[in-house]
């Protein structure tokens, strides 16, 4: 618990998190306007944009927020990378030499922070849907809880990948470049049938497509993948990223 508390204190005292949270909220407002307000009021100009009614619009909003995988990835890269570039990491090891515990504490705290940001973003989209969305109804309390842990699963895997990138490369800028490059590459080749079964993009979308049946499921790429399969994919990538983080920090001490 002392390591988790230390990570919380470091995170709460930096301006990075509120700045990134503000950027995520701004992006969510833009997405909400585009999909909820613009698509509904300007159908001719918004041709091809899916008009998703309630209650599915709430789930669609959560999925749109979860696709902002840059948030947990960059958060993990910058926070761990800044320690590796200074004496903080070496000092931390002198107090507690277990790299496994250090990685676990950072992964846990950064994932919780990213999950909270995802929840805030989902709440913003939900408010816009409630005010301007068409249709009626909404997720039940149990469905909201179900959505919440799915947001957490996405935050976990991308936080782990961010930590792995900076632990192996040891430079914030290139690590962010590698992470963003993987993000786009995974989305592009995720539609390839052979890779689709292990694609993070497809697996992440499949978690939310679980809530939607019928024609509306088309707005969730990978909706043909079962939730169990999607979770296995996310768990596999998380385990790989955790191992690479530990390996990078073990082989290249600061």
């Amino acid at each position: 618990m002392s390591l988790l508390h230390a990570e919380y204190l470091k995170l709460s005292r930096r301006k990075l998190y509120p700045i990134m949270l503000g950027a995520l909220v701004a992006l969510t407002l833009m997405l909400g306007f585009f999909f909820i307000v613009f698509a509904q009021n300007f159908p001719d100009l918004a041709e091809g944009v899916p008009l998703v009614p309630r209650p599915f619009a709430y789930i669609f909003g959560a999925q749109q927020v979860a696709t902002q995988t840059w948030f947990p990835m960059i958060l993990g890269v910058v926070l761990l990378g800044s320690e590796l570039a200074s004496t903080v990491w070496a000092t931390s090891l002198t107090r507690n030499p277990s790299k496994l515990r250090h990685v676990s504490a950072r992964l846990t705290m950064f994932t919780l922070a990213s999950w909270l940001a995802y929840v805030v973003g989902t709440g913003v989209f939900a408010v816009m849907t409630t005010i301007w969305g068409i249709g009626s109804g909404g997720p039940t309390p149990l469905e909201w809880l179900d959505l919440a842990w799915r947001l957490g699963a996405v935050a976990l895997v991308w936080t782990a990948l961010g930590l792995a990138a900076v632990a192996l490369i040891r430079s914030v800028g290139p690590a962010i470049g590698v992470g963003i490059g993987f993000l786009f590459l995974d989305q592009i080749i995720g539609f390839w049938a052979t890779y689709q079964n292990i694609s993070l993009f497809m697996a992440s979308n499949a978690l939310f497509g679980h809530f939607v049946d019928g024609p509306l499921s088309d707005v969730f790429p990978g909706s043909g993948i079962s939730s169990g399969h999607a979770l296995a994919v996310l768990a596999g990538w998380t385990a790989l990223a955790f191992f690479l983080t530990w390996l990078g920090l073990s082989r290249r001490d600061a």
Side-chain angles (χ1 to χ4, degrees), residues 50-244:
L51 183 58
V52 186
R54 290 181 288 183
F56 303 121
Y58 294 101
I59 300 160
F60 179 74
Q63 182 259 353
Q64 288 297 303
V65 172
T67 60
Q68 309 309 313
T69 52
W70 55 269
F71 189 100
M73 186 270 294
I74 291 179
L75 188 68
V77 167
V78 174
L79 291 178
L80 179 59
S82 62
E83 293 186 11
L84 297 177
S86 65
T87 59
V88 174
W89 174 248
T91 302
S92 298
L93 289 178
T94 60
R95 296 173 180 172
N96 191 322
S98 174
K99 294 184 178 68
L100 185 62
R101 293 185 63 186
H102 279 288
V103 174
S104 299
R106 284 160 176 79
L107 178 61
T108 300
M109 186 52 60
F110 300 164
T111 297
L112 286 174
S114 297
W115 172 79
L116 179 60
Y118 277 175
V119 170
V120 171
T122 300
V124 169
F125 200 101
V127 170
M128 297 184 73
T129 298
T130 301
I131 297 174
W132 292 293
I134 62 173
S136 60
T140 66
L142 287 179
E143 286 177 329
W144 279 119
L145 290 175
D146 203 0
L147 282 171
W149 75 257
R150 291 168 196 268
L151 290 170
V154 176
L156 172 63
V157 65
W158 280 97
T159 300
L161 286 170
L163 294 178
V166 75
L168 292 171
I169 299 174
R170 291 294 177 115
S171 181
V172 171
I176 291 176
V178 168
I180 293 177
F182 174 77
L183 188 160
F184 283 106
L185 182 63
D186 181 75
Q187 289 186 20
I188 293 171
I189 64 176
F191 291 94
W192 179 34
T194 303
Y195 179 75
Q196 188 176 102
N197 289 327
I198 59 171
S199 168
L200 267 180
F201 173 68
M202 290 298 181
S204 299
N205 278 285
L207 286 180
F208 299 92
H210 163 75
F211 288 88
V212 183
D213 297 318
L216 286 175
S217 65
D218 293 338
V219 302
F220 296 92
S223 57
I225 300 174
S226 69
S227 293
H229 183 162
L231 282 175
V233 172
L234 266 63
W237 280 104
T238 301
L240 175 62
F242 188 93
F243 170 74
L244 291 176

